[in-house]
Amino acid sequence: MPEFEVEVSEEYGHLDQLCAMYWATNADGSFTHTVKALADLFDQPSHKVSKIVAEACFARSTSQRCSECDRGFIYRSRTNWTSSARFTPTRCQACIETERRRQAERRERVNAAMRAEVLERHAVRAHGSTPRAEDLNMPAAFALAALFEDAEEFSRETTVPVVDRTDRFTPTPDYDFKLLDLITDLGIVQVHPSSSLESFVWKDDATLDDAYYPTLASYYLPGTGALSSRVEDYLKSFTQVVSRDKWPDRWVDQLSEFWVDIAVSECKAYLVHMLQRHGLEFTPGQRTEDVFRRALKWYSIGQMYYFIWRAARDSAAYFARERVAAKQAANSAVTRISADVERAYANGWQVSTYRRDSRLPLSTLSHILFSRALKLDDPMAYSPVDLPVRRAGLELAWSNIDSTTFERLIFQLVGETEGYENVEWLMHTNAPDHGRDVSAVRLRRDPLSGHSSQRVAIQCKHWLTRPVRDVDVNSAIVGISHWQNPPFDVLVIATSGRFTSDAVSWIENHNSRGARPSIEVWNDARLEHLLNERPHLIRAYELR
Ligand SMILES: [Zn+2]
């Protein structure tokens, strides 16, 4: 039996003899005629013979067959045939195509069924009211706005999935998840049925589970109007209050926590980025979170960048020098940052403020907070501890006065206030800053017990460039403990600045132990509040 059955196309009928001889085989399977012999016989150049035959006919093998339809495989040239001897397919092209088409149809049917289930389960609802920014907590309000905004474009009806955004939603994936969790738990966004099928969790029988992947899904806003007008309404309500002087009171209180959350996320993103540039993969965990959270009480994001930059460089050197595992080298960066920060803070070192890395673009959430809400010229240098947020209209020009004037102001404030008597200067001859504290007797009138009195010392700290730290509070206590006749019951620390969180918790701890004197805190915000009720003092001291 010949190896090939030759089929010549109709229009090449005159070449059927050449085709038949080209594909003719001997009993051992070898070709009967050489191409050279055919070329001579048919008066054609040798190199053209195969090309002519390939155009005119195809040869179907009688031995090499498709495992499915059992038809012989098709060859166009001898080269085609010899090369296929090394790799013989099991099925013919037609069968493969048919199978592929069948699979695509099956997939389409399954997808259509899945989509129908999504449409039913996540049907767009018209009920409830569209959230308004001023009713939400700060993180939820900002996250919702950021979700609908991407690369200066606003989504009209549904959000772009977080994984498909042009600009990042937040600086890090873990913060993306945290905020998506927050707003979906609050029910202020719903999963839209147009979300890709991969956004949903499917059971083995291709039915819908309740879970979904938050960063893959698209969301829409609850409410009753058209989806586009819900988005418009929310963004309008957000624009009305986004600027710091328009904030609801609640947001003023929530800023420092929200700020630290974003700042921690910014620092994590930068650390991962810098280590990656040094070839070290790193996933921030709880320890990274704790180290950054503590450090950001003292330092701005730009200053943290300085610590991170150095730590990444040193960890890369450690990796190269000691040949430790990459993971160990990357983790050592956090230890370095922690140690550096503690050392810098304890020694009061001046820490440089690094600029943002242009290879690490700003997330939409950060952009909205830094630029639209706080209108910061340099977010990298901003720290809510150093520059307290105050309601617009209340802030006082503390830099107009020096520390001696600040002490006089406090003296007059206490002297004018009912319930304080015997207001005097308390001279510290040995005080390191030669500051003058104020002492007074505070009278309490109790309808049952009658009068009681407390001896109060007020220490003045006109500190505009640094916050009051726990060590400062401790030394203030030591300072007034020399007066034992009679001892002070209360120590008030009055500052035109802020207290670090560590100082605040130190004081809370001290007071809860019932230690004497108990400590009271008058920070900038409190003094501004007190002085706004006494406008003549603001005028007299030219504080506005
Ligand atoms: Zn076949």
Side-chain angles (χ1 to χ4, degrees), residues 131-146 169 175 178-179 182-188 234 237-238 241-242 247-259 261-262 365 368-369 373:
R132 297 189 56 81
E134 68 267 27
D135 300 331
L136 301 173
N137 283 338
M138 193 174 203
F142 278 66
L144 199 52
F169 170 44
Y175 200 35
K178 195 177 153 194
L179 288 182
L182 172 73
I183 58 179
T184 48
D185 281 354
L186 287 170
I188 54 177
Y234 177 72
S237 80
F238 184 72
V241 293
V242 66
W247 287 357
D249 287 339
R250 199 169 54 248
W251 290 12
V252 177
D253 298 335
Q254 289 167 345
L255 171 70
S256 53
E257 204 185 324
F258 185 44
W259 172 273
D261 285 348
I262 292 191
L365 184 76
I368 295 176
L369 179 68

Side-chain angles (χ1 to χ4, degrees), residues 85-294:
R86 285 193 296 271
F87 173 72
T88 315
T90 57
R91 292 187 305 165
C92 70
Q93 209 51 39
C95 286
I96 291 171
E97 289 295 331
T98 310
E99 168 69 10
R100 205 172 280 160
R101 211 167 31 247
R102 218 178 286 136
Q103 269 178 3
E105 281 164 12
R106 191 163 50 232
R107 216 168 20 243
E108 227 164 84
R109 269 198 309 281
V110 171
N111 282 356
M114 288 164 91
R115 178 60 67 193
E117 218 189 320
V118 168
L119 282 167
E120 194 189 323
R121 181 79 69 94
H122 295 279
V124 173
R125 288 182 297 170
H127 82 120
S129 48
T130 302
R132 297 189 56 81
E134 68 267 27
D135 300 331
L136 301 173
N137 283 338
M138 193 174 203
F142 278 66
L144 199 52
L147 202 56
F148 278 93
E149 186 180 332
D150 181 24
E152 293 174 9
E153 296 273 330
F154 291 97
S155 311
R156 298 191 169 278
E157 297 190 338
T158 59
T159 63
V160 175
V162 164
V163 290
D164 294 338
R165 291 173 61 101
T166 309
D167 286 345
R168 286 206 53 92
F169 170 44
T170 80
T172 46
D174 65 329
Y175 200 35
D176 287 348
F177 278 108
K178 195 177 153 194
L179 288 182
L180 286 173
D181 255 8
L182 172 73
I183 58 179
T184 48
D185 281 354
L186 287 170
I188 54 177
V189 286
Q190 307 286 343
V191 174
H192 194 270
S194 70
S195 302
S196 70
L197 293 174
E198 292 77 49
S199 343
F200 302 96
V201 177
W202 297 91
K203 295 183 208 154
D204 287 344
D205 61 353
T207 57
L208 204 48
D209 199 334
D210 283 330
Y212 61 93
Y213 301 100
T215 55
L216 302 184
S218 294
Y219 300 93
Y220 69 97
L221 291 172
T224 46
L227 292 189
S228 58
S229 62
R230 300 180 196 179
V231 174
E232 230 167 80
D233 286 350
Y234 177 72
L235 292 177
K236 207 182 288 166
S237 80
F238 184 72
T239 305
Q240 277 165 6
V241 293
V242 66
S243 172
R244 171 187 187 159
D245 49 341
K246 307 273 175 46
W247 287 357
D249 287 339
R250 199 169 54 248
W251 290 12
V252 177
D253 298 335
Q254 289 167 345
L255 171 70
S256 53
E257 204 185 324
F258 185 44
W259 172 273
V260 173
D261 285 348
I262 292 191
V264 166
S265 182
E266 289 282 359
C267 291
K268 282 186 197 167
Y270 186 59
L271 176 59
V272 170
H273 168 77
M274 283 314 298
L275 286 173
Q276 215 162 41
R277 288 186 55 78
H278 288 295
L280 297 172
E281 288 301 319
F282 179 67
T283 311
Q286 189 58 44
R287 188 152 157 274
T288 315
E289 172 97 21
D290 294 343
V291 166
F292 284 155
R293 219 160 256 284
R294 178 169 164 82

Side-chain angles (χ1 to χ4, degrees), residues 66 68-69 92 95:
C66 169
E68 196 162 316
C69 64
C92 70
C95 286

Side-chain angles (χ1 to χ4, degrees), residues 428-435 459 475 479:
H428 285 266
T429 46
N430 59 348
D433 56 356
H434 299 286
Q459 185 162 91
S475 62

